[in-house]
Amino acid sequence: MTNLPAIAGWNWLREGFALFFKRPWQLIILFATYSFFLFLIGLIPFLGQIIPPLLTPAFSMVIMTACAQVDQGTTFDHLLLRQSFQPPVMQRLLGLGALYVLMAFITIGLMWLFVGGDLSPLSTIDAKTLANNSNSNQSWVLLVIAFFGLLYVPLFWFAAPLIVWRQSTVGKAIFYSLFSVLRNIKAFIVYFLSWLVVGAILPSLISVMLASLIGLPQLAVAALFLFSIVLTIVMYCSCYTSYKHIFSTPEQLKSTM
């Protein structure tokens, strides 16, 4: 496990974009297929709200494995792409997904406590409300969401890759994910600050420029939607590059080279 300098966080993002542009259409098609399956599952009454989070670790590893194969310059090996759905890896990833659901319920429960059992005010959160009432329940809810969001990152960032590529148990994967993120906390701070610029500020600027130059707000919204898809795939690619720099290239991929 490598201890990296702060600039590594920017390199992960930069290399993530480089990976995407090596095979953009193949990655987009794979991601669209994955999203379509989750959409269909989401249509199932009641279970459609629970099953997608359970399957998210497995499906996300399909994308990350594809990113790893792009990095190694090999064609997509569908046997490797399906390794997330083979026992005992699948059972462990389902357990990780169950923890996703559990943490989400804990967050919702704490939000429920802070707003006195009424979650309807969350739909009307805006900057003006928070500025006029910094002690409001809405402010506390946002703090709770931010706290748990920060807590989720070190716990789960490398958990799924460690389960698939190092055959770790769920507990061991979460432990090493937490340890590796904290050990490279400076790099992760730079990484997420870079994403703040690339993933939040830059798309807003692009949409405003397109709307003003073309005069078609709908086209700007469509372009922003496509850009968000690209950024999501790049996130998976950069997650792989961060794994590669800290834990090295997955052994299964080395064996196919």
Side-chain angles (χ1 to χ4, degrees):
M1 188 184 302
T2 308
N3 188 7
L4 300 172
I7 192 60
W10 166 250
N11 291 333
W12 298 340
L13 181 57
R14 180 177 54 82
E15 292 176 16
F17 272 100
L19 281 181
F20 171 78
F21 284 112
K22 283 184 178 180
R23 295 187 202 169
W25 293 113
Q26 286 181 293
L27 290 172
I28 289 174
I29 292 172
L30 187 63
F31 176 77
T33 303
Y34 144 74
S35 300
F36 180 69
F37 274 115
L38 287 184
F39 170 75
L40 290 179
I41 294 172
L43 297 178
I44 302 174
F46 181 69
L47 292 178
Q49 306 301 314
I50 299 177
I51 295 178
L54 293 177
L55 294 178
T56 293
F59 277 114
S60 65
M61 282 308 301
V62 172
I63 307 299
M64 283 189 61
T65 300
C67 294
Q69 292 178 331
V70 171
D71 181 46
Q72 297 303 319
T74 61
T75 57
F76 286 174
D77 185 338
H78 294 285
L79 290 177
L80 286 177
L81 292 178
R82 292 198 299 266
Q83 64 186 337
S84 301
F85 300 95
Q86 299 172 350
V89 170
M90 183 60 184
Q91 290 89 330
R92 294 172 181 174
L93 290 177
L94 286 175
L96 186 65
L99 287 178
Y100 288 179
V101 176
L102 177 61
M103 296 294 277
F105 276 122
I106 291 175
T107 303
I108 293 173
L110 289 174
M111 290 164 54
W112 184 85
L113 289 175
F114 276 111
V115 298
D118 181 13
L119 296 179
S120 59
L122 299 182
S123 61
T124 59
I125 290 179
D126 54 56
K128 183 178 180 180
T129 301
L130 295 177
N132 293 335
N133 187 7
S134 59
N135 295 321
S136 67
N137 287 338
Q138 294 176 343
S139 301
W140 281 108
V141 168
L142 290 180
L143 288 175
V144 171
I145 294 174
F147 172 78
F148 275 89
L150 293 174
L151 182 63
Y152 294 160
V153 170
L155 288 176
F156 296 123
W157 188 256
F158 292 122
L162 288 170
I163 289 173
V164 176
W165 291 331
R166 297 217 168 186
Q167 303 297 307
S168 299
T169 62
V170 175
K172 186 177 180 180
I174 290 176
F175 171 79
Y176 278 104
S177 178
L178 174 64
F179 180 76
S180 61
V181 171
L182 294 181
R183 188 179 184 188
N184 293 277
I185 191 63
K186 293 181 181 178
F188 275 93
I189 290 174
V190 171
Y191 174 77
F192 286 111
L193 288 177
S194 300
W195 264 116
L196 179 64
V197 175
V198 175
I201 299 176
L202 185 59
S204 300
L205 293 176
I206 291 176
S207 62
V208 170
M209 290 177 60
L210 286 175
S212 60
L213 292 176
I214 303 176
L216 294 174
Q218 296 84 353
L219 183 60
V221 171
L224 194 60
F225 174 74
L226 293 175
F227 191 51
S228 67
I229 294 176
V230 171
L231 290 181
T232 303
I233 300 173
V234 171
M235 183 195 69
Y236 285 113
C237 292
S238 62
C239 183
Y240 163 73
T241 60
S242 66
Y243 177 93
K244 181 182 73 171
H245 284 285
I246 293 177
F247 292 98
S248 78
T249 303
E251 292 296 328
Q252 297 95 324
L253 297 171
K254 287 181 180 179
S255 63
T256 64
M257 294 174 59

